[in-house]
Amino acid sequence: MNNKLFRRSITAVAVASTLSFPALAQDNTAEQDKIEKIEVTGSRLSRTNMETPVPVTVIGREDIVQTGAINVAQVLNMSPVAIAGSDQSNSAFSTTTVGLNTTELRNMGAARTLVLLNGKRFVSGVDPSTGYAVDLNAIPTAMIERIEILKSASSAVYGSDAVAGVVNIITRKNFDGIEINAQTGISGQHDRQTQNLNLTTGKDWDDGNAWFSFGIDNDEGLKSTDRSFSALDRAVLLDENGNEYIGEVLSSYPPQGRITTDNNSYDGDGTPYSGGFNRASARQLVTPLERRYVAAEIRQNLTNDLHVFGSVHWNSAETQGSTIEPTPFNIGEDLWMNHRVEQPIAGLSVYSPLVPDLLRQNLLSEGIDNLNETTFVRRMSEFGARSTDVTRDTLRIASGFTYNINYNWTWDSYMTWGRTNQEQLNGGQINTDRARLALNVVEDDNGNLVCANPIARMQGCAPLNLFGEDTISAEAVDYVSTPAKATGTAEQFVVQSVVSGDLPYELEGGFVGLAGGLEYREEKGTYSPGDLAQTGASSTNLSEPTNGSFNTKDVFVETRLPILTNLSVDLAARYSDHSATGAATTWNIGTEYEPVDGFKLRASAAKAIRTPNISDLYSGAGETFATVTDPCSGITAATAGNIAENCRSITSVNNRIQSNGEFELTTAEVQSTGGMVGGNPNVQEETAETYSVGAIWQINDSLSATVDYYDITVDDAIAITGRSTVLQRCYSVAPENFDASCNDQVFRSSEGVLVDVDSSSSNENIISTSGVDLELNYGTTIADGQFTADLIWNYTDEYSIESIYDGSVETYEGSVTTPNHRANLNLAYAMNDLTFSWRMRYWDSSKDSTNGYNYNFTDFAPLQEFNNVGSVTYHDISARYLMSKHYEFTVGVRNAFDKQPPILPQGTVSGGTGINTASEAYDVTGRYYFAGVSISF
């Protein structure tokens, strides 16, 4: 292959990183400017420069080092085009995704962002019952050479999932020598300590290279009580004048218990109710995370034309000690009125020896002789906080070869296999079967309270005294508590073969390039919740197992047509045969035109798909109690229409209408509707149409710019069908077609109350987003040093979701996680061996909800003053000193001015559970110092 002069394109400058602090002390000799053809993200055609018809942003290794980040997710989510999907804060309340770090482009979901490692797919790190995404914890920053972000759909090149774009993480290669990297960090409040240690060694020889790397890093995390904004459970309230303010809201599930009748509320001991519980006292602001990894690679030239490689990558990400508040226990619903219990007991008599005399007398005075006639709830503090310990082990193997067929054509083939194993242990859970036995007590011959069931006594049953704080004995805790263990696996196998080169057909701008190939991909996933979770016999939600697999066989082709010396067109197409959804075709088209030297126009269009993943198709159903709207509510004997007629056709509903004049539900009945939500094997692929048009302008030797407009529309977007929507669709049909069970998705009690409404994933929505990306790069010599300034700015013009069912449209542009403006300004100055950097990150002012879905906790009206969230700017400062060719030191501070996040408490749409803010948008740690050293020899 002939060497060609690599013209350092204006794109290579203009698409400098969102965090760009260029390597300033470089020897830019003519020899360095001569390189072979290269392959860039977004194309399988080799080319002689970094220019592509679609915008690509590059984050270099220098950029990563200067941020002080030990997790690649943190690096990506500082970019204005990316946002966290799951992070160590917004996942802290989850039992399945806790500790995950994922990213998404254009805020379109992690499943619509394809993450590659060295241009090849990487196995999902999410348990298959929950979703599909690469866990960035599995890719340590010490391994990374650069990150290329393709900000456009590219399914024709890479296959399914590349809807919003592609994140291609490229690791270091051809390492020769030994390098040791160590870093430590601590917040300005002397907590959230981090430690990182990495060793890499490699060796070059005449026809190959091998390297080996291992490391460990630790993030100690934060408790919610470590920061004032998250230390209390808060919500927006109204004062006596109707003005909004943020106040403390305690949980009505207190450790002493609460027994509520129609007229009064009592503590468990019978005294008047004394107050609630601060759930934030046990919650996590940042989940602790420890990672260990080992990686190795070998590359060997077997002949002048045949080159082979093999790599192995193992990573273990461990979250230990993540906690949320102790179990909130509704004794009536969880034990006595659970319709899944084959023989539910009739409740607890007030004459039970466990019931304190004062409470008994109070209840009898109100005519109550059984606790199931009250609302009886309690915080099970004696069982400790609910804890989640998760270990995710990822093993990935890749191997392949490159064969130079001749001076012009190349054959590339590879295979990858990856597997993520997740083991999860949840503490603080309650065995509800045993709890029922432990509440049924009698006095023995010595006057001691014992469990009435003799078999239960033989198994260690001890009376469960729920009437007061700290009244549950250690013996009862041992008998009733149960560990909840869950395991899951995600497995991926990919094999691909590509032939590429130049056709013997020359246009005015050069030879026509062509690449074509075959790909086979197989995905498998399993998830097994604990036995008690599967039977509904524990305080955790009922959950069914997941087991599924699919494969896809693809054929793809790509060509580059250099029509003129200043005009080229790129075309790509892919045909996919998916085992679950059938055949689909995707395509890309892009063009570049340079009317004058230094100014280039580019445009692209694409059809992309996201085929459903294991979770979408086969996720085992999980229990939910989210509020639903009963279409029969308010129906009378005179109400007209299909819904009313269908409601009255149900005997239990009609009996209530005849008795009360209308079908009216109590607050408890509205809030008690459960149901199961899971996958759907009939769900089909999403289809996206995307467009972009832009320009690249080398204004002068010091200043360059790129600007790109993008437009993305996703049809048939996959989502869980809302349970209220399930009811509306079912009840609005013509009476002759009405099925009261709604195809076995709806179950009502003998009183007509909705007990269960089930749902699943389906093709529900149309998602549309559009906006503008702008990048400016400036560099000049000042004194004896080099100064650079880089600006990257994103403007989101539209982000909307349209319901396919009813055509309703909800807009989200200008909301907290989809602000109109995001920008980074990066300044750097390098002189001799010292580099100083200052980065400013801007997040625009926004609204918590653009659709009125938030509410205050006084009259539950949508928020007004506290719906508005101010803009935030963070300042990150760092310095790097090269003491010699062997030693390099880095120090820095993130959020240097200790900017506190806006408070987004309960009732807001954007606020994360337990953290009172949105960690995807705002820094929750505060000022953070870091220092590191790199030793190489």
Side-chain angles (χ1 to χ4, degrees), residues 14 155 177 179 193 255 301 305 329 416 433 461 480 499 544 554 608 664:
S155 287
E179 181 178 284
Q193 295 185 45
N301 301 332
D305 294 318
F329 207 43
T416 65
D433 287 342
C461 182
V480 175
V499 175
E544 297 177 350
D554 295 6
E664 185 178 6

Side-chain angles (χ1 to χ4, degrees), residues 30-228:
E31 281 301 310
Q32 287 178 310
D33 282 348
K34 293 181 180 180
I35 68 169
E36 300 284 348
K37 282 187 176 182
I38 58 174
E39 183 177 297
V40 297
T41 300
S43 174
R44 299 198 183 279
L45 289 168
S46 297
R47 59 190 71 212
T48 57
N49 55 53
M50 289 286 291
E51 300 171 5
T52 63
V54 291
V56 177
T57 290
V58 180
I59 302 174
R61 180 165 180 78
E62 295 290 334
D63 311 331
I64 298 171
V65 171
Q66 302 240 18
T67 66
I70 64 174
N71 196 304
V72 64
Q74 188 175 20
V75 176
L76 283 169
N77 297 333
M78 288 179 181
S79 164
V81 298
I83 191 172
S86 177
D87 61 35
Q88 289 166 250
S89 292
N90 66 17
S91 67
F93 198 76
S94 168
T95 58
T96 56
T97 62
V98 61
L100 281 175
N101 275 298
T102 66
T103 192
E104 53 189 68
L105 300 177
R106 309 297 191 198
N107 206 12
M108 297 194 71
R112 298 183 183 96
T113 298
L114 181 61
V115 176
L116 306 174
L117 185 68
N118 297 321
K120 304 169 182 64
R121 286 180 179 263
F122 199 87
V123 64
S124 172
V126 184
D127 88 71
S129 71
T130 302
Y132 185 95
V134 171
D135 182 13
L136 296 172
N137 292 325
I139 307 175
T141 56
M143 294 175 55
I144 299 173
E145 179 64 30
R146 68 184 184 278
I147 304 170
E148 296 178 359
I149 303 175
L150 175 67
K151 299 178 290 187
S152 180
S154 195
S155 287
V157 177
Y158 294 113
S160 173
D161 306 340
V163 173
V166 178
V167 176
N168 189 9
I169 300 173
I170 299 171
T171 58
R172 305 169 73 183
K173 299 177 178 65
N174 301 323
F175 191 91
D176 191 24
I178 299 175
E179 181 178 284
I180 301 172
N181 296 288
Q183 181 177 300
T184 186
I186 191 170
S187 79
Q189 298 193 36
H190 309 292
D191 51 22
R192 199 184 177 184
Q193 295 185 45
T194 59
Q195 306 88 29
N196 170 261
L197 179 64
N198 160 259
L199 184 146
T200 302
T201 181
K203 180 64 178 177
D204 281 330
W205 56 88
D206 289 342
D207 50 5
N209 172 271
W211 60 264
F212 171 82
S213 183
F214 69 89
I216 184 170
D217 60 62
N218 180 51
D219 183 342
E220 296 183 5
L222 292 172
K223 292 288 188 182
S224 291
T225 52
D226 291 336
R227 295 294 181 269
S228 60

Side-chain angles (χ1 to χ4, degrees), residues 341-417:
V341 179
E342 293 183 3
Q343 295 179 328
I345 60 177
L348 187 66
S349 169
V350 296
Y351 296 105
S352 166
L354 289 172
V355 178
D357 184 65
L358 178 59
L359 178 61
R360 180 184 302 113
Q361 297 305 320
N362 287 336
L363 295 179
L364 288 172
S365 69
E366 296 189 45
I368 297 172
D369 63 3
N370 196 299
L371 270 297
N372 69 352
E373 301 175 49
T374 71
T375 298
F376 184 12
V377 299
R378 190 183 191 277
R379 183 73 54 183
M380 306 297 274
S381 299
E382 293 89 343
F383 290 76
R386 284 173 287 173
S387 61
T388 302
D389 296 336
V390 181
T391 300
R392 298 181 180 92
D393 292 331
T394 300
L395 176 64
R396 181 180 187 267
I397 298 170
S399 181
F401 68 84
T402 298
Y403 177 63
N404 296 325
I405 301 171
N406 56 34
Y407 74 96
N408 191 36
W409 287 86
T410 302
W411 177 21
D412 288 293
S413 290
Y414 73 85
M415 63 76 61
T416 65
W417 175 87

Side-chain angles (χ1 to χ4, degrees), residues 726-745:
V726 169
L727 291 167
Q728 282 295 122
R729 290 175 178 174
C730 173
Y731 278 73
S732 60
V733 301
E736 60 268 22
N737 298 323
F738 177 62
D739 171 14
S741 74
C742 300
N743 196 25
D744 296 325
Q745 290 182 289

Side-chain angles (χ1 to χ4, degrees), residues 371-650:
L371 270 297
N372 69 352
E373 301 175 49
T374 71
T375 298
F376 184 12
V377 299
R378 190 183 191 277
R379 183 73 54 183
M380 306 297 274
S381 299
E382 293 89 343
F383 290 76
R386 284 173 287 173
S387 61
T388 302
D389 296 336
V390 181
T391 300
R392 298 181 180 92
D393 292 331
T394 300
L395 176 64
R396 181 180 187 267
I397 298 170
S399 181
F401 68 84
T402 298
Y403 177 63
N404 296 325
I405 301 171
N406 56 34
Y407 74 96
N408 191 36
W409 287 86
T410 302
W411 177 21
D412 288 293
S413 290
Y414 73 85
M415 63 76 61
T416 65
W417 175 87
R419 182 184 177 98
T420 298
N421 290 326
Q422 175 172 318
E423 293 191 358
Q424 177 178 320
L425 184 65
N426 296 329
Q429 303 295 323
I430 295 168
N431 184 322
T432 54
D433 287 342
R434 288 194 165 192
R436 277 187 287 272
L437 292 169
L439 281 171
N440 186 13
V441 302
V442 295
E443 289 188 2
D444 64 10
D445 295 338
N446 298 318
N448 299 316
L449 296 183
V450 296
C451 297
N453 188 305
I455 297 177
R457 289 202 301 272
M458 293 175 60
Q459 295 173 338
C461 182
L464 183 65
N465 185 353
L466 301 174
F467 299 93
E469 189 169 3
D470 295 326
T471 55
I472 301 177
S473 67
E475 294 77 13
V477 170
D478 289 341
Y479 177 70
V480 175
S481 64
T482 178
K485 186 176 182 180
T487 59
T489 64
E491 187 173 337
Q492 180 187 80
F493 173 75
V494 180
V495 60
Q496 184 181 106
S497 189
V498 182
V499 175
S500 62
D502 289 339
L503 293 172
Y505 183 70
E506 188 175 10
L507 300 177
E508 184 174 327
F511 287 98
V512 175
L514 182 69
L518 306 172
E519 179 179 280
Y520 174 81
R521 175 168 62 99
E522 186 175 88
E523 303 274 357
K524 299 178 181 179
T526 64
Y527 180 73
S528 177
D531 293 341
L532 295 182
Q534 294 187 42
T535 61
S538 72
S539 55
T540 190
N541 287 351
L542 178 68
S543 181
E544 297 177 350
T546 295
N547 188 5
S549 65
F550 66 81
N551 65 73
T552 179
K553 306 176 186 72
D554 295 6
V555 180
F556 55 89
V557 64
E558 183 179 355
T559 185
R560 180 173 173 83
L561 306 174
I563 299 171
L564 302 172
T565 56
N566 62 348
L567 174 65
S568 63
V569 176
D570 285 21
L571 303 171
R574 175 181 290 247
Y575 174 82
S576 302
D577 184 10
H578 194 283
S579 61
T581 61
T585 301
T586 59
W587 51 264
N588 285 28
I589 181 171
T591 183
E592 297 173 282
Y593 173 57
E594 189 170 3
V596 296
D597 189 37
F599 182 76
K600 176 172 287 190
L601 299 174
R602 61 185 176 187
S604 67
K607 176 186 176 183
I609 61 170
R610 179 177 87 82
T611 52
N613 52 50
I614 298 295
S615 177
D616 298 326
L617 292 165
Y618 308 118
S619 173
E623 194 170 22
T624 179
F625 292 96
T627 301
V628 298
T629 301
D630 190 337
C632 296
S633 180
I635 297 294
T636 69
T639 305
N642 286 346
I643 292 178
E645 192 170 339
N646 289 331
C647 288
R648 288 191 294 264
S649 71
I650 302 171

Side-chain angles (χ1 to χ4, degrees), residues 229-230 246 816 843-846 866 868-874 899-905 908 910-912 915-919 921-924:
F229 64 85
S230 58
I246 294 178
V816 167
W843 198 284
D844 195 17
S845 58
S846 58
F866 282 95
N868 299 310
V869 183
S871 63
V872 174
T873 302
Y874 296 108
K899 184 71 174 180
Q900 297 300 295
I903 296 182
L904 296 164
T908 60
S910 306
I915 64 175
N916 290 333
T917 193
S919 59
Y922 309 114
D923 180 9
V924 300

Side-chain angles (χ1 to χ4, degrees), residues 808-827:
S808 61
V809 178
E810 296 180 349
T811 59
Y812 295 92
E813 66 271 8
S815 65
V816 167
T817 54
T818 317
N820 289 117
H821 302 275
R822 288 180 64 186
N824 284 8
L825 175 61
N826 312 298
L827 308 176

